[in-house]
Amino acid sequence: MAEKNDFLEALEKKARMFYPSAHKAYEHNQDICDWLLFPLSRWAREAYGEEVFEHAVKGYAQYCMHVSQAQRKYEQEGKYTPESLPDIIEHVYEDSAYMTPYMWAAILIYAFWESMANHIRLFRDEFLDKLPATPTILELACGHGVMGLAAIEHRKDATLTGYDISPTAIGIARKLAGASGHADRACFAVKDVLTLDDQNEAHGYHGIMAAMLAEHLQTPHALFASISRNLKPGGLAFFSTALESPQRDHVYEFHKESEAILMAEEVGLRVIRLVCDSGNRLPGGRFLPRAMAMVLTKDAPQ
């Protein structure tokens, strides 16, 4: 008998409007969704108790509604209209009442949105599996920490460092790390990921993760520069971003996949794998929301 999916079961009970599309996406990608969600179910239950699944899917439903509203406004305005950066920091990243449900939604979209499932396949098969033995991994803007914890769940020989600007997110990441049994290989801290210097970061990492971060930055070029500074020569980076997909804290408007590719190339990074899948365009809409993920490498100096 197949193991039940706790998050999907809770979604059917507590947020039925969003269940059919989520169930469809999950069925299409069950193998990779289970790879992510089954360990997370164990960690979440251990850290927060049985009620965590109801809280998580309510956060997911709220998130989906906000995304839909933002997309409609985007079509009306013809451009992103985010909040000011100080307001985003105060009312999003530093607001635990907002950030906690947001953090759960930010991981559930990988399993419940068709446009995101291939990100996890790329992450596991072309990033994690291609890292060398005993790799050191850095996660930039780690948020809930689930992606990083999934990385060291999969790679038992890896160690993880995760940084995020949000104290609430780091609190969640540390609690899940304790529940996962991987706390001895995972370190999470509050830090601005754009100010990291490889001289203070053990001379670089074998792998760097920067998932769905660039669109939150006023200057994503600085993110690619940080990745390049802190990645060992020959190392791998997993990068993902949203294109034409507005939210209240999305401040950089990517329209073309080539924009992110060129930013990476400008700082000596090279794309070796790429996936990009579309979300739901509004009927008659001008913009096509998409989710793009890349595996990058930095060549060794000649």
Side-chain angles (χ1 to χ4, degrees):
M1 182 176 179
E3 187 178 350
K4 70 176 182 177
N5 184 300
D6 293 303
F7 293 102
L8 196 62
E9 191 172 77
L11 192 65
E12 184 178 19
K13 293 177 180 177
K14 300 297 181 180
R16 290 188 61 85
M17 184 173 78
F18 299 96
Y19 175 77
S21 61
H23 184 257
K24 182 179 178 181
Y26 173 78
E27 283 195 322
H28 287 171
N29 306 282
Q30 185 171 348
D31 60 333
I32 196 65
C33 293
D34 286 347
W35 177 84
L36 178 68
L37 291 186
F38 281 162
L40 177 58
S41 293
R42 297 194 302 270
W43 306 338
R45 182 179 282 107
E46 174 68 22
Y48 293 99
E50 199 66 37
E51 66 276 8
V52 69
F53 303 106
E54 178 179 339
H55 294 322
V57 300
K58 286 184 176 179
Y60 171 78
Q62 183 182 53
Y63 179 89
C64 290
M65 288 189 289
H66 289 167
V67 168
S68 178
Q69 292 167 357
Q71 192 71 23
R72 292 184 181 280
K73 185 175 182 180
Y74 184 37
E75 290 290 347
Q76 294 170 356
E77 301 287 340
K79 61 180 180 180
Y80 281 11
T81 53
E83 298 180 20
S84 68
L85 190 57
D87 286 340
I88 290 171
I89 292 173
E90 179 181 357
H91 300 301
V92 178
Y93 304 140
E94 294 179 351
D95 182 354
S96 61
Y98 183 90
M99 279 298 292
T100 299
Y102 179 95
M103 286 291 96
W104 288 114
I107 194 63
L108 292 182
I109 63 173
Y110 285 100
F112 296 157
W113 287 12
E114 288 277 9
S115 60
M116 295 296 293
N118 280 327
H119 287 214
I120 300 299
R121 287 195 182 90
L122 187 75
F123 175 65
R124 183 189 66 184
D125 300 342
E126 302 295 337
F127 174 68
L128 294 178
D129 285 349
K130 300 297 174 65
L131 292 174
T134 62
T136 54
I137 300 174
L138 170 66
E139 185 172 12
L140 303 176
C142 61
H144 39 60
V146 173
M147 291 284 282
L149 292 172
I152 60 175
E153 169 87 0
H154 185 70
R155 287 293 303 261
K156 305 297 185 184
D157 59 338
T159 56
L160 171 72
T161 301
Y163 296 132
D164 199 282
I165 198 173
S166 168
T168 298
I170 291 300
I172 294 171
R174 287 173 174 168
K175 195 160 187 176
L176 290 175
S180 73
H182 301 318
D184 59 330
R185 294 188 291 124
C187 175
F188 293 105
V190 177
K191 188 176 287 191
D192 183 346
V193 301
L194 300 184
T195 64
L196 301 182
D197 186 331
D198 62 354
Q199 292 181 351
N200 299 319
E201 295 296 316
H203 305 294
Y205 292 81
H206 298 104
I208 294 181
M209 302 158 53
M212 308 307 285
L213 167 60
E215 67 275 17
H216 298 268
L217 304 174
Q218 291 179 311
T219 55
H221 306 76
L223 172 61
F224 287 103
S226 182
I227 293 171
S228 184
R229 282 197 310 273
N230 292 287
L231 187 65
K232 287 181 179 292
L236 297 177
F238 176 81
F239 168 90
S240 61
T241 193
L243 294 85
E244 297 189 338
S245 181
Q247 293 179 34
R248 65 182 294 189
D249 58 342
H250 286 191
V251 298
Y252 194 89
E253 187 176 10
F254 285 103
H255 288 283
K256 299 177 181 178
E257 291 78 0
S258 58
E259 294 168 9
I261 294 171
L262 289 172
M263 289 181 191
E265 292 177 343
E266 286 171 358
V267 294
L269 300 171
R270 203 160 40 84
V271 180
I272 54 177
R273 295 286 187 277
L274 184 149
V275 297
C276 190
D277 294 308
S278 63
N280 297 319
R281 187 200 296 264
L282 290 178
R286 294 168 289 174
F287 302 106
L288 180 63
R290 306 185 301 289
M292 170 190 182
M294 304 186 289
V295 176
L296 307 164
T297 190
K298 184 169 77 169
D299 291 333
Q302 299 295 317

